[in-house]
Amino acid sequence: MNELRELYQEMIIEHGRHPRNFCVLENASCKQEGFNPLCGDHLILFLIEKNGVIENISFQGSGCAISMASASLMTDAVKNKSIKEAEKLFQQFHLLITENKSEENLGKLAVLAGVSEFPARVKCATLAWHTLKAALQNETQTVSTE
Amino acid sequence: MNVRKDFPILEKIIYLDSGATTQKPRCVIDAIQKFYLEDNANIHRGVYELSQRATKKFEHVREQVKNFIHAEHSHEIIFTRGTTESINLVAQCLSHNHIQKDDEILISAMEHHSNIVPWQLIAEKIGAKIKVIPITDLGEIELESFRKLFTAKTKMVAVTHVSNVLGTVNPIKEMIRIAHENNVPVLVDGAQAVPHLSVNVTELDCDFYAFSSHKMYGPTGVGVLYGKTEWLKKMPPYQGGGDMIERVSFEKTTYNKLPYKFEAGTPDISNVIGLGVAIDYLNQIGMHAITEHEKKLLAIATEELKKIPELKIFGESENKIGVISFTLNDIHPHDIGTILDHENIAVRAGHHCAMPLMQRFNVPAMTRISFGIYNTEKDIENLIKGLKIVHEVFHERIT
Ligand SMILES: Cc1ncc(COP(=O)(O)O)c(C=O)c1O
């Protein structure tokens, strides 16, 4: 039960049920779709980027608690960050959920550390991040974590 | 049913995913090893005794399969890599002359991707159309709508015998009768039927019947296509190579007789041998006893699951066998799967290779349990306990 509690922390369940920034951004400068065909997690990311800074970001979609909470926490975490900072954050976050290592204080994102005990769920936790990366690189294809 | 001892792997796991693949009894595993230790040679070619022995064993399995599904002739049994390849074979071969531009192919709303995509591939290539047979909220084929879908352009019906998601046993005998009244051949996807029901292709009068060894306690890598002689004779070969030819010259090649015309290259000999042993094993237990055992488990599990508040079961046909797909409140199946896995219970979570069916029921995913001969009431108890933990994690959290 302990590992499960570690994975499904209160904040994850809460963000999974009531994700933040869960809306359409009408004036988005970029829209990117992400899809995890294995389990059907699906999201669309909206962002407004100006001079290399993510001024606003939101998402819509459906999926497991981990993918929704991760998307919710990510949007909070990268808002008002520069693209460089966001990319660095993704690297750090990836290290956290695959190897349970963190070099810097990742703030709320750290609640997802429990994913490191569940390798099958890494894809869920990174779907939003991969989608963000693709959006920032201006890719047109739907991102797939497969 | 006292078979658990035959499945060493079950000591380690509560396995409720036989719909994906069944576990293998020790006799099947041993037979494959024994074949390599004592009988291994290529078939249909060696003049030496060893090769003849391997050929004889291989061809004996064809006889066994023929008897198991009550076909009339063993040359109507073609070995493939699995259900998927069997269906692709039929679709590709029929696309050469039988199905043409603007023709229509009927498939049901509950098909597995492997009985959708092969038809889409040929439809796209030749400009044919796919029409979908609707299903009811209970998860049953709408027979009346099916009847009305036929036009002069209808050239093929492809439908599953048993749904891998809903568990519905479709009225395929009736459907085949209706199709034949319209002079349309029928392919039946039997992947989820053969492991659970006694199948009689002669009585059904289907034109093609496809299934996989690995879902019926046999090894992976082998499947079967049953086809009526008249169709198999009409169809061009699927792949070219060794074994499927009679005489080859650079000017012209003549093809081997049935079933070899459709078996190009060296087949998966050892695993075909394994399939034969799996069939013996199933016959020993008896298909009737298997159906009854799994029906009992289905009834118990359905009753227990229905006691859980906010659990919704998809597929409530009277004609249903050992599969239950469900959703639990707003908890995503993937989360349910992870928590059950943590309790050592293997279930399937996701779209079950049936995305159009998920759309039909308006859910992104479902959790599925499916039974095999080795499952017990104890497995169901454990599942219910596991689902209580799911509830705990998501609702009544002890902080
Ligand atoms: C109804 C149905 N058809 C076809 C298949 C495909 O079988 P295979 O992957 O063995 O080719 C499956 C397997 O999941 C199935 O359940």
Side-chain angles (χ1 to χ4, degrees), chain B residues 62-103:
Chain B
R62 207 186 298 276
E63 276 303 305
Q64 287 180 284
V65 172
K66 180 205 96 174
N67 293 331
F68 192 63
I69 61 168
H70 304 92
E72 275 183 28
H73 309 287
S74 52
H75 68 248
E76 294 177 316
I77 305 299
I78 294 159
F79 288 117
T80 63
R81 282 195 302 122
T83 309
T84 303
E85 190 178 52
S86 297
I87 298 173
N88 275 284
L89 187 161
V90 176
Q92 289 296 332
C93 291
L94 289 183
S95 74
H96 289 289
N97 39 36
H98 178 66
I99 305 172
Q100 295 176 344
K101 189 169 175 340
D102 297 328
D103 283 345

Side-chain angles (χ1 to χ4, degrees), chain B residues 101-212:
Chain B
K101 189 169 175 340
D102 297 328
D103 283 345
E104 295 165 356
I105 301 161
L106 306 186
I107 63 176
S108 88
M110 63 172 90
E111 297 310 312
H112 187 279
H113 292 164
S114 66
N115 201 22
I116 302 175
V117 185
W119 303 110
Q120 282 174 334
L121 282 176
I122 65 153
E124 233 163 72
K125 196 174 74 186
I126 61 184
K129 235 169 75 184
I130 293 187
K131 283 184 166 178
V132 179
I133 311 159
I135 61 172
T136 65
D137 288 342
L138 289 180
E140 294 176 333
I141 297 271
E142 285 184 26
L143 269 185
E144 265 322 294
S145 315
F146 174 59
R147 229 184 273 275
K148 288 185 192 133
L149 279 174
F150 285 89
T151 70
K153 295 265 176 217
T154 311
K155 285 296 169 64
M156 188 71 203
V157 172
V159 65
T160 194
H161 194 166
V162 172
S163 161
N164 66 314
V165 177
L166 308 165
T168 316
V169 183
N170 286 321
I172 53 165
K173 197 171 168 190
E174 176 69 2
M175 294 176 78
I176 292 162
R177 206 182 52 72
I178 296 169
H180 285 175
E181 277 171 17
N182 290 280
N183 286 319
V184 176
V186 179
L187 173 139
V188 179
D189 173 352
Q192 298 291 344
V194 175
H196 310 290
L197 302 170
S198 171
V199 170
N200 186 325
V201 292
T202 306
E203 223 175 75
L204 289 171
D205 199 28
C206 53
D207 302 276
F208 302 98
Y209 197 97
F211 56 100
S212 298

Side-chain angles (χ1 to χ4, degrees), chain A residues 1 3-5 7-8 10 13 17 37 39 41 63-66 118 121 124, chain B residues 330-332 334-335 338-339 342-343 351 365 389 392-395 397-399:
Chain A
M1 201 66 184
E3 279 163 357
L4 282 178
R5 288 264 178 258
L7 179 65
Y8 290 105
E10 194 67 65
I13 289 178
R17 286 232 161 100
C39 47
D41 293 345
C64 63
I66 307 294
F118 296 83
R121 304 308 296 276
C124 308
Chain B
D330 62 348
I331 307 172
H332 196 278
H334 212 182
D335 295 313
T338 292
I339 296 171
H342 191 262
E343 302 306 306
H351 54 63
I389 294 174
E392 253 173 57
V393 169
F394 273 82
H395 291 274
R397 288 177 43 76
I398 316 146
T399 41

